[in-house]
Amino acid sequence: MNKKSIKDIDIKGKTVFIRVDFNVPIKDGKIEDDTRIRGALPTIKYAIEQGAKIVLASHLGRPLKDKKKAEEKGTPYDPAKYTLRPVAERLAELLEKEVAFEGKNMTAQIASLGSGDIFMRENLRLDAGEEKNDAEFAKKLADGIDIYVNDAFGTAHRAHASTEGITHHVETCVAGLLMEKELEFLGKALNSPERPFVAILGGAKVSDKIPVIESLIERKVDKLLIGGAMAYTFFKAQGYTVGKSLVEDEMMPKALEIEAQAKAAGVEILLPTDHQVVDSYDPLNSRKAIQIEFTNAGLVGLDIGPDTAAVFANALEGAKTIVWNGPMGMFEEKPFDEGTIAIAKAVAEATEKGATSIVGGGDSVAAINQAGLADKISHISTGGGATLEFLAGDVLPGVGALDDK
Ligand code: ADP
Ligand code: MG
């Protein structure tokens, strides 16, 4: 990694602003899933051990946008939904340590921190300056701060005041431990992957994933396995009848272009050989597996079939690097999770045999968790959009702003 991490600098006695991702689901003041809070613990604990004075900051939901929507539609807006206070309480429990929360005189609160003390700011997005990357707001965030640490990979693709603006007002800006791990795994896969390198792409829309597909082809991934609804745009472009399966017609020329690019680069693209179909979206019944060639006009493809699962699993054998984004089918609806689960198992198996595996994307990570295989994957990326942009080869603003090694 060519960016400095919190371990590369001396933070003892310094006031350290840590941008964390505490955007957790909260219902009626109760945290429903604290994975993201736990994810930030290594960096926070390290800062405590080192004797830093810690200021934590995160966003939670989209309060101003939701408020505007509520006003326009005349529906109620509940400000209680957007406070990070429950998160501060949960963090205090996890650390068995006091976590001070933003009050009326924040400047004094931060100034009075002792070594190892923790202070948490209120939801950054309650101020319009955050998402606008307002210079004044960014300067205020840097008030009384010696060192900036970004540990929120999932928001690093957005140039906001707490991810980019603030770095113009703090001398030393480094990556936290979670961020460091993301950059190491994703950076290695992208820039110096051990081969064979196999990428698996799926999900609903080709248009979302085009930059990633092109970047992977450019980097000469050895094999590109394409499943999910995305495959139907490729099939339709090739002249197959795909019935009522999800297709992006305007992306068909692009699909053919991608196939040509892959061919020129010597990248093997594998598309499904069979799929699970139903008669209609509503109801989703009478499932059957059919060969791709025999799709009738009216059918809907919702998952890869068993032949494809076997072919894809075979393609993963011997892989040394695997990157996966996008489920193989409509995995939220059983039994259309079977294809995704079969691939998850194959990725886990390849990992056991020595591959470095990376899974990214909100739905893909949910599918891996659903399959109970998360601990069999080398790296579960915490970013959705950020992971995709990174894999597309873009420099994320929140990463680019950190000090080079
Ligand atoms: P990620 O969040 O991991 O990046 P995407 O958001 O791109 O993944 O894609 C996930 C969505 O794609 C899921 O909601 C899933 O139901 C849908 N999907 C995958 N295959 C199909 C299909 N054949 N038909 C309809 N939807 C599909
Ligand atoms: Mg998604």
Side-chain angles (χ1 to χ4, degrees):
M1 188 182 82
N2 66 346
K3 291 293 173 184
K4 270 193 189 153
S5 100
I6 190 168
K7 290 209 161 154
D8 296 325
I9 57 166
D10 184 14
I11 58 171
K12 192 175 168 58
K14 302 270 172 52
T15 306
V16 179
F17 180 108
I18 309 179
R19 174 53 159 105
V20 286
D21 180 359
F22 284 168
N23 185 28
V24 295
I26 300 181
K27 210 174 168 201
D28 303 323
K30 289 253 174 333
I31 294 167
E32 292 183 304
D33 180 354
D34 65 1
T35 308
R36 285 182 172 158
I37 306 175
R38 290 174 187 275
L41 290 180
T43 301
I44 298 171
K45 283 184 177 162
Y46 177 78
I48 296 169
E49 281 162 26
Q50 294 292 308
K53 302 167 180 175
I54 302 160
V55 175
L56 298 173
S58 173
H59 73 280
L60 177 65
R62 322 184 97 191
L64 298 182
K65 285 191 178 119
D66 290 352
K67 191 175 178 191
K68 202 171 153 219
K69 227 191 271 164
E71 277 165 6
E72 280 166 10
K73 291 193 178 150
T75 50
Y77 169 78
D78 179 10
K81 272 169 62 182
Y82 302 98
T83 175
L84 278 168
R85 198 175 279 279
V87 176
E89 282 161 14
R90 184 86 192 91
L91 179 65
E93 279 167 28
L94 290 169
L95 290 170
E96 296 178 6
K97 194 175 164 48
E98 194 188 323
V99 175
F101 195 69
E102 179 174 329
K104 284 218 169 67
N105 195 345
M106 181 159 39
T107 312
Q109 279 180 298
I110 292 175
S112 69
L113 289 173
S115 278
D117 286 354
I118 306 177
F119 170 79
M120 197 194 291
R121 295 187 62 119
E122 183 52 285
N123 185 358
L124 292 166
R125 286 195 187 162
L126 287 170
D127 194 303
E130 165 64 2
E131 288 183 83
K132 281 190 195 137
N133 197 6
D134 176 69
E136 270 307 304
F137 183 63
K139 199 156 171 260
K140 266 201 266 169
L141 290 179
D143 233 11
I145 301 298
D146 301 313
I147 289 165
Y148 170 79
V149 177
N150 192 341
D151 211 21
F153 179 76
T155 39
H157 60 313
R158 311 218 185 273
H160 289 171
S162 69
T163 62
E164 199 275 335
I166 184 173
T167 66
H168 299 287
H169 305 283
V170 182
E171 178 92 18
T172 307
C173 302
V174 298
L177 302 178
L178 186 61
M179 172 73 90
E180 185 183 25
K181 191 166 166 247
E182 289 279 4
L183 298 179
E184 264 171 23
F185 272 98
L186 296 174
K188 175 133 199 291
L190 215 54
N191 301 316
S192 52
E194 261 191 84
R195 289 174 188 277
F197 177 12
V198 182
I200 311 163
L201 289 172
K205 288 163 130 190
V206 189
S207 50
D208 284 351
K209 313 284 169 90
I210 281 171
V212 178
I213 299 177
E214 289 186 327
S215 141
L216 290 169
I217 291 174
E218 234 170 78
R219 284 166 172 83
K220 301 202 189 306
V221 54
D222 296 288
K223 286 176 194 161
L224 191 54
L225 317 184
I226 297 182
M230 200 198 275
Y232 297 109
T233 299
F234 284 83
F235 281 128
K236 191 169 176 190
Q238 290 174 0
Y240 288 108
T241 312
V242 298
K244 286 197 281 275
S245 309
L246 216 56
V247 169
E248 285 172 282
D249 283 319
E250 66 289 357
M251 284 298 139
M252 293 198 305
K254 194 76 201 178
L256 294 176
E257 207 180 286
I258 285 170
E259 291 193 304
Q261 279 170 10
K263 203 166 179 203
V267 172
E268 191 186 346
I269 292 191
L270 273 77
L271 285 164
T273 51
D274 64 341
H275 52 164
Q276 302 283 1
V277 295
V278 293
D279 295 327
S280 75
Y281 282 99
D282 188 21
L284 294 173
N285 57 15
S286 64
R287 176 179 79 136
K288 57 178 182 234
I290 62 170
Q291 299 303 303
I292 271 335
E293 291 82 355
F294 303 131
T295 314
N296 303 325
L299 299 178
V300 184
L302 289 180
D303 194 9
I304 57 172
D307 289 354
T308 307
V311 171
F312 282 11
N314 196 39
L316 289 166
E317 250 169 59
K320 283 277 173 273
T321 305
I322 300 170
V323 169
W324 181 8
N325 167 261
M328 295 292 101
M330 198 190 255
F331 77 101
E332 303 94 328
E333 296 286 340
K334 280 185 178 40
F336 304 101
D337 57 342
E338 284 174 6
T340 302
I341 289 176
I343 298 309
K345 283 188 179 146
V347 173
E349 234 161 73
T351 311
E352 218 147 59
K353 290 184 186 142
T356 299
S357 55
I358 300 171
V359 178
D363 292 297
S364 312
V365 171
I368 285 283
N369 285 332
Q370 195 174 303
L373 292 168
D375 58 349
K376 298 227 157 37
I377 305 298
S378 315
H379 180 64
I380 303 272
S381 182
T382 55
T387 309
L388 289 182
E389 284 190 29
F390 192 99
L391 291 175
D394 297 344
V395 176
L396 311 184
V399 175
L402 303 177
D403 299 351
D404 289 329
K405 262 211 168 117

